[in-house]
Amino acid sequence: MRTRAVAREAWRNIRSGTTRTLTFTIASGAVVVSLLCADQLAIRQIVHDANEFRAAGASTLTLTADGGIDGARCEALNSLDGVTAAGAVRSREPWLRPAALPNSPVNLKEVTQGFPRLLTGESMQGAGIVLEAEAAETLRLKAGDTLETTSGATTVAGTFEYPDDGRRRGFGYTALIVTTDADPFDECWTDVWPAMPNLAAILLTTLRPGASEKETKPVLGQLNSSLGSTFDGQARLDARITRAAAPVSVVVGIVLGLLAVRLRRMELAAALHSGLARRSLATMVGLETASWAVPVLGLCTAVAALFAATGNREDVLSTFVSGLLIPFAALAGICLGTAAALALTREKNLFRYFKDR
């Protein structure tokens, strides 16, 4: 039987409803799309939790040693792989007194060049001070404005949020000013993502000679410990219950493929009995199976693209690929199930199929 004739026969079976195309499209689509959405939502929740962990400052470790931190060594941590920002800070007296509100002084801290990025998320642009958001709002200032103080004028280089979300106190109503002198600092902060197992040991290298021998010992801490000490995103991904979605899709595909052929085994055995070659029969069944499997694959591709487009911009490709894993696993199962059922359909069993119908 020629391929064109086989294709016409398959088309007639699809149009007449013999292949139950609509039923299998709805059934497989409902299951596979549900598994895809469940897995993508689980992954999105983990990514959301990771972003929340970082945004709250929980990924920032601090080393406190009054007058014991070498600012240059702390600043050098920015060159390490995985370190997104690092910098040193020390308190400064007197406080900054705005000319408009001299009785409401702003807490002033001196920092190294990389420190503002720990709070603003961006590298500092230009000279001047970086104001905490509440202070900026009170003084009605924004980046680029000039702050008149009792000791002179300075430019507002940027602002930062320091919410009361569990992070340590001390940076509310504060101004940061960058300094390059070699005087010691009180603290070294570093934000590392993903977590670096030997970060604590690396932080201790920023101590000045003799700092660890003082009566007040250096203290390692976490800027915000309210969300836990660590966030192991890979472990959570590996432990998510929807990780089994792909294997389940394979099983569902096998069952549907077996069922689609088994329901028509008498018809297929009759075709073999009438002289249709098994190769032609396999081609026809393959085209009929594609009539309901391909639309499901197309629908899942659209759903995966939607999740990728509306998720984290840095993970667009990985989100799309992980989303496609489930429908392609289902497609593999459908092919396996269909092939197995077709292989088990024998012409010699035609009369048994007839009696069992």
Side-chain angles (χ1 to χ4, degrees), residues 246-275:
V248 170
S249 293
V250 174
V251 175
V252 170
I254 291 174
V255 171
L256 290 173
L258 285 169
L259 188 61
V261 174
R262 184 176 173 81
L263 289 173
R264 300 174 57 214
R265 59 180 181 172
M266 189 177 74
E267 172 197 343
L268 300 177
L272 292 173
H273 184 70
S274 63

Side-chain angles (χ1 to χ4, degrees), residues 16-293:
S16 64
T18 304
T19 57
R20 299 178 176 84
T21 297
L22 182 60
T23 300
F24 280 98
T25 300
I26 294 174
S28 58
V31 174
V32 179
V33 171
S34 297
L35 290 171
L36 168 60
C37 291
D39 191 44
Q40 287 298 308
L41 289 174
I43 293 174
R44 180 167 290 190
Q45 182 60 49
I46 294 172
V47 173
H48 173 269
D49 292 345
N51 291 336
E52 189 177 55
F53 187 84
R54 294 193 64 192
S59 61
T60 299
L61 294 188
T62 64
L63 175 63
T64 303
D66 292 342
I69 298 294
D70 188 308
R73 291 182 185 178
C74 182
E75 192 70 17
L77 298 182
N78 286 294
S79 62
L80 299 179
D81 291 338
V83 174
T84 57
V89 58
R90 65 188 177 211
S91 296
R92 181 186 178 187
E93 297 291 345
W95 289 23
L96 193 69
R97 294 184 180 278
L101 296 170
N103 294 324
S104 299
V106 179
N107 184 19
L108 186 61
K109 292 182 181 295
E110 289 183 332
V111 299
T112 56
Q113 184 68 36
F115 190 88
R117 189 176 181 184
L118 287 157
L119 298 177
T120 65
E122 300 175 351
S123 298
M124 188 171 173
Q125 301 295 326
I129 61 171
V130 181
L131 271 179
E132 191 270 335
E134 183 182 352
E137 183 179 357
T138 301
L139 298 171
R140 298 181 179 180
L141 294 172
K142 60 181 183 300
D145 289 347
T146 299
L147 171 62
E148 298 289 346
T149 72
T150 55
S151 56
T154 186
T155 301
V156 178
T159 61
F160 66 92
E161 300 278 351
Y162 201 78
D164 184 16
D165 57 357
R167 66 185 71 192
R168 51 173 284 193
R169 298 179 180 277
F171 282 79
Y173 212 76
T174 295
L176 309 177
I177 185 167
V178 174
T179 180
T180 57
D181 64 42
D183 292 343
F185 288 80
D186 298 328
E187 300 180 36
C188 179
W189 292 16
T190 181
D191 180 32
V192 179
W193 193 259
M196 188 184 296
N198 58 341
L199 181 61
I202 293 175
L203 263 178
L204 290 174
T205 64
T206 66
L207 290 172
R208 293 168 65 93
S212 58
E213 299 171 1
K214 291 183 178 179
E215 184 176 350
T216 304
K217 299 297 182 184
V219 177
L220 282 167
Q222 188 180 6
L223 181 59
N224 188 343
S225 59
S226 63
L227 299 178
S229 59
T230 59
F231 185 91
D232 193 338
Q234 188 59 51
R236 290 186 59 175
L237 280 173
D238 293 341
R240 73 187 193 280
I241 191 171
T242 56
R243 191 185 180 194
V248 170
S249 293
V250 174
V251 175
V252 170
I254 291 174
V255 171
L256 290 173
L258 285 169
L259 188 61
V261 174
R262 184 176 173 81
L263 289 173
R264 300 174 57 214
R265 59 180 181 172
M266 189 177 74
E267 172 197 343
L268 300 177
L272 292 173
H273 184 70
S274 63
L276 181 64
R278 183 167 284 275
R279 178 180 300 177
S280 298
L281 183 66
T283 302
M284 184 183 72
V285 172
L287 292 172
E288 293 167 354
T289 303
S291 69
W292 55 270

